[in-house]
Amino acid sequence: GKRTGGGRLVPPRSRRMTSRPSPSILHVDMDAFYASIEIRDDPSLAGLPVAVGGRADRRGVVSAASYEARKYGVRSAMPTAQALALCPDLVLVPPDFDRYIAASRRIMEIFLRYTPLCEPLSLDEAFLDVAGCERLHGDAVAIGRAIKSDVLRETRLVASVGVAPSKFLAKLASDLDKPDRFRVIRPEEVRDGL
């Protein structure tokens, strides 16, 4: 290279970095986690609008709602009485946090098979940095697909996965078109993705 007036070495034009960083951040978000565990463990609930939460007569609140319940407008943090008004056929299940914690631990163990850089955000979601894991497990897209597959096979629960160059974009990607989605935002797609 040549020196500039200030003494800095500037690489020749042909050797300058022109590529953008490849996506290496995953955001894995379990779909309707508490409700999905209840449906998995009681198959008679499949296809029904299910909410996990406290009783309406005790000023209960919805902790999670299945996608069938969400079609009626039922959402997390909604008073149970309001949820029942929106969906009179709602199946309300009391929470069982011991089961949710056990399922979360199992899912986190799967993540740690692929990278030690796992940042849980809650029981049902985490960021994973898979940069440097390519030789062992493939690129971020391959790792994301493997994790999604392992979680389904080993826990019978569905995850949505976003892969991107940053946490913000990975979270955005995992939220697009839920449930059961896998979305990659590549560096050249960032401007369009926003």
Side-chain angles (χ1 to χ4, degrees):
K2 60 181 180 179
R3 294 206 177 267
T4 63
R8 280 185 327 158
L9 188 62
V10 178
R13 190 174 287 278
S14 63
R15 289 195 342 221
R16 285 190 189 152
M17 291 277 267
T18 56
S19 66
R20 297 183 181 143
S22 61
S24 65
I25 305 295
L26 277 61
H27 180 256
V28 183
D29 192 358
M30 302 306 298
D31 295 337
F33 188 54
Y34 300 168
S36 295
I37 290 171
E38 296 299 338
I39 294 165
R40 175 197 69 184
D41 294 351
D42 181 356
S44 72
L45 299 174
L48 299 176
V50 175
V52 174
R55 292 176 22 186
D57 63 348
R58 296 201 179 158
R59 296 171 27 127
V61 174
V62 172
S63 297
S66 68
Y67 285 92
E68 290 82 1
R70 292 179 190 190
K71 292 175 187 173
Y72 293 91
V74 177
R75 298 280 182 263
S76 297
M78 174 181 283
T80 302
Q82 182 182 355
L84 288 166
L86 290 170
C87 181
D89 294 328
L90 186 67
V91 178
L92 187 63
V93 180
D96 183 344
F97 288 103
D98 289 338
R99 280 192 300 137
Y100 310 152
I101 290 167
S104 177
R105 285 187 180 139
R106 182 73 191 104
I107 291 162
M108 297 300 163
E109 288 170 4
I110 293 169
F111 297 165
L112 292 171
R113 276 190 225 151
Y114 292 91
T115 178
L117 301 177
C118 177
E119 181 183 340
L121 301 176
S122 64
L123 289 178
D124 71 330
E125 65 178 316
F127 286 113
L128 290 78
D129 185 341
V130 298
C133 300
E134 296 88 350
R135 286 186 149 185
L136 292 172
H137 306 293
D139 66 6
V141 174
I143 293 170
R145 289 194 189 284
I147 287 172
K148 184 172 173 50
S149 173
D150 287 355
V151 166
L152 179 61
R153 186 179 66 256
E154 295 176 33
T155 69
R156 297 185 345 248
L157 297 169
V158 174
S160 287
V161 178
V163 182
S166 72
K167 288 180 181 180
F168 172 77
L169 292 170
K171 170 90 171 121
L172 180 70
S174 71
D175 284 342
L176 294 173
D177 303 322
K178 284 183 86 170
D180 197 16
R181 294 295 180 214
F182 186 91
R183 177 77 163 86
V184 178
I185 297 179
R186 299 192 183 282
E188 59 272 12
E189 300 170 321
V190 168
R191 187 175 294 258
D192 293 336
L194 297 176

Short mmCIF file of all heavy atoms in Angstrom, two decimals, residues 4 6 15 25 63 80 89 92-93 95 98-99 101 108 145 148 157 185 188:
data_model
loop_
_atom_site.label_atom_id
_atom_site.label_comp_id
_atom_site.label_asym_id
_atom_site.label_seq_id
_atom_site.Cartn_x
_atom_site.Cartn_y
_atom_site.Cartn_z
N THR A 4 -0.30 7.81 3.34
CA THR A 4 -0.96 9.11 3.15
C THR A 4 -0.13 10.15 3.86
O THR A 4 0.85 9.84 4.56
CB THR A 4 -2.38 9.09 3.76
OG1 THR A 4 -2.26 8.88 5.17
CG2 THR A 4 -3.24 8.01 3.14
N GLY A 6 -0.59 11.73 6.55
CA GLY A 6 -0.55 11.55 8.00
C GLY A 6 0.18 10.29 8.44
O GLY A 6 0.21 9.96 9.61
N ARG A 15 -7.37 -4.73 -2.62
CA ARG A 15 -7.38 -5.51 -1.38
C ARG A 15 -8.33 -4.95 -0.32
O ARG A 15 -8.46 -5.50 0.74
CB ARG A 15 -5.97 -5.58 -0.80
CG ARG A 15 -5.09 -6.47 -1.64
CD ARG A 15 -3.80 -6.88 -0.96
NE ARG A 15 -3.39 -6.09 0.19
CZ ARG A 15 -2.15 -5.73 0.42
NH1 ARG A 15 -1.20 -6.03 -0.43
NH2 ARG A 15 -1.85 -5.04 1.51
N ILE A 25 -26.07 -13.80 13.52
CA ILE A 25 -26.89 -13.71 14.72
C ILE A 25 -28.23 -14.40 14.46
O ILE A 25 -28.88 -14.13 13.45
CB ILE A 25 -27.13 -12.25 15.14
CG1 ILE A 25 -25.81 -11.50 15.32
CG2 ILE A 25 -28.00 -12.19 16.40
CD1 ILE A 25 -24.95 -12.01 16.46
N SER A 63 -51.49 -15.27 30.04
CA SER A 63 -50.02 -15.34 29.93
C SER A 63 -49.59 -15.69 28.51
O SER A 63 -48.53 -15.27 28.07
CB SER A 63 -49.47 -16.41 30.88
OG SER A 63 -49.72 -16.08 32.21
N THR A 80 -58.30 -11.79 31.56
CA THR A 80 -58.99 -13.01 31.16
C THR A 80 -60.46 -12.73 30.83
O THR A 80 -61.01 -13.29 29.88
CB THR A 80 -58.87 -14.08 32.24
OG1 THR A 80 -57.48 -14.33 32.47
CG2 THR A 80 -59.53 -15.38 31.84
N ASP A 89 -65.64 -19.38 23.51
CA ASP A 89 -65.25 -20.79 23.50
C ASP A 89 -63.79 -21.00 23.91
O ASP A 89 -63.24 -22.10 23.78
CB ASP A 89 -65.47 -21.39 22.11
CG ASP A 89 -66.94 -21.44 21.74
OD1 ASP A 89 -67.77 -21.61 22.67
OD2 ASP A 89 -67.26 -21.32 20.54
N LEU A 92 -59.44 -22.06 28.81
CA LEU A 92 -58.50 -21.43 29.73
C LEU A 92 -57.81 -22.51 30.57
O LEU A 92 -58.46 -23.31 31.22
CB LEU A 92 -59.24 -20.45 30.64
CG LEU A 92 -58.35 -19.60 31.54
CD1 LEU A 92 -57.44 -18.69 30.71
CD2 LEU A 92 -59.21 -18.77 32.49
N VAL A 93 -56.48 -22.51 30.52
CA VAL A 93 -55.67 -23.50 31.23
C VAL A 93 -54.81 -22.76 32.25
O VAL A 93 -54.16 -21.77 31.91
CB VAL A 93 -54.76 -24.27 30.24
CG1 VAL A 93 -53.92 -25.30 30.95
CG2 VAL A 93 -55.59 -24.91 29.14
N PRO A 95 -51.60 -21.86 34.45
CA PRO A 95 -50.18 -22.03 34.11
C PRO A 95 -49.50 -23.11 34.95
O PRO A 95 -49.86 -23.33 36.10
CB PRO A 95 -49.57 -20.66 34.39
CG PRO A 95 -50.53 -19.96 35.27
CD PRO A 95 -51.87 -20.55 35.05
N ASP A 98 -43.47 -24.99 36.18
CA ASP A 98 -42.44 -26.04 36.28
C ASP A 98 -42.25 -26.72 34.93
O ASP A 98 -41.11 -26.98 34.50
CB ASP A 98 -42.81 -27.07 37.35
CG ASP A 98 -42.70 -26.51 38.76
OD1 ASP A 98 -41.98 -25.51 38.97
OD2 ASP A 98 -43.34 -27.08 39.67
N ARG A 99 -43.35 -27.01 34.22
CA ARG A 99 -43.24 -27.63 32.89
C ARG A 99 -42.63 -26.66 31.89
O ARG A 99 -41.83 -27.06 31.04
CB ARG A 99 -44.60 -28.11 32.39
CG ARG A 99 -44.99 -29.44 33.00
CD ARG A 99 -46.18 -30.09 32.31
NE ARG A 99 -47.35 -29.22 32.39
CZ ARG A 99 -48.18 -28.98 31.38
NH1 ARG A 99 -48.00 -29.55 30.21
NH2 ARG A 99 -49.21 -28.18 31.55
N ILE A 101 -40.53 -24.20 32.49
CA ILE A 101 -39.10 -24.06 32.80
C ILE A 101 -38.33 -25.29 32.32
O ILE A 101 -37.25 -25.18 31.73
CB ILE A 101 -38.88 -23.80 34.30
CG1 ILE A 101 -39.38 -22.40 34.65
CG2 ILE A 101 -37.42 -23.97 34.69
CD1 ILE A 101 -39.51 -22.14 36.15
N MET A 108 -32.76 -24.62 25.58
CA MET A 108 -31.47 -23.93 25.74
C MET A 108 -30.31 -24.91 25.58
O MET A 108 -29.27 -24.56 25.03
CB MET A 108 -31.40 -23.20 27.08
CG MET A 108 -32.42 -22.08 27.26
SD MET A 108 -32.27 -20.76 26.03
CE MET A 108 -33.87 -19.97 26.21
N ARG A 145 -31.44 -23.62 10.68
CA ARG A 145 -32.34 -24.69 10.24
C ARG A 145 -32.17 -25.95 11.11
O ARG A 145 -33.15 -26.61 11.45
CB ARG A 145 -32.11 -25.01 8.77
CG ARG A 145 -32.59 -23.92 7.84
CD ARG A 145 -32.65 -24.38 6.39
NE ARG A 145 -32.90 -23.28 5.50
CZ ARG A 145 -34.09 -22.68 5.33
NH1 ARG A 145 -35.13 -23.09 6.03
NH2 ARG A 145 -34.23 -21.68 4.48
N LYS A 148 -33.87 -25.30 14.51
CA LYS A 148 -35.33 -25.37 14.34
C LYS A 148 -35.80 -26.83 14.26
O LYS A 148 -36.75 -27.23 14.91
CB LYS A 148 -35.74 -24.58 13.10
CG LYS A 148 -37.22 -24.48 12.87
CD LYS A 148 -37.50 -23.51 11.72
CE LYS A 148 -38.93 -23.46 11.29
NZ LYS A 148 -39.90 -23.29 12.36
N LEU A 157 -42.15 -28.94 19.81
CA LEU A 157 -42.56 -27.54 19.86
C LEU A 157 -41.98 -26.81 18.65
O LEU A 157 -40.91 -27.17 18.15
CB LEU A 157 -42.07 -26.88 21.15
CG LEU A 157 -42.66 -27.45 22.44
CD1 LEU A 157 -41.91 -26.91 23.65
CD2 LEU A 157 -44.14 -27.14 22.54
N ILE A 185 -32.29 -12.30 6.86
CA ILE A 185 -32.08 -10.96 6.32
C ILE A 185 -30.58 -10.84 6.08
O ILE A 185 -29.79 -10.82 7.02
CB ILE A 185 -32.57 -9.86 7.28
CG1 ILE A 185 -34.08 -9.98 7.50
CG2 ILE A 185 -32.21 -8.48 6.74
CD1 ILE A 185 -34.67 -8.96 8.47
N GLU A 188 -27.29 -7.21 2.26
CA GLU A 188 -27.77 -6.42 1.12
C GLU A 188 -29.29 -6.19 1.16
O GLU A 188 -29.81 -5.38 0.40
CB GLU A 188 -27.35 -7.08 -0.20
CG GLU A 188 -27.87 -8.48 -0.42
CD GLU A 188 -26.97 -9.58 0.15
OE1 GLU A 188 -26.04 -9.29 0.93
OE2 GLU A 188 -27.24 -10.75 -0.18
#
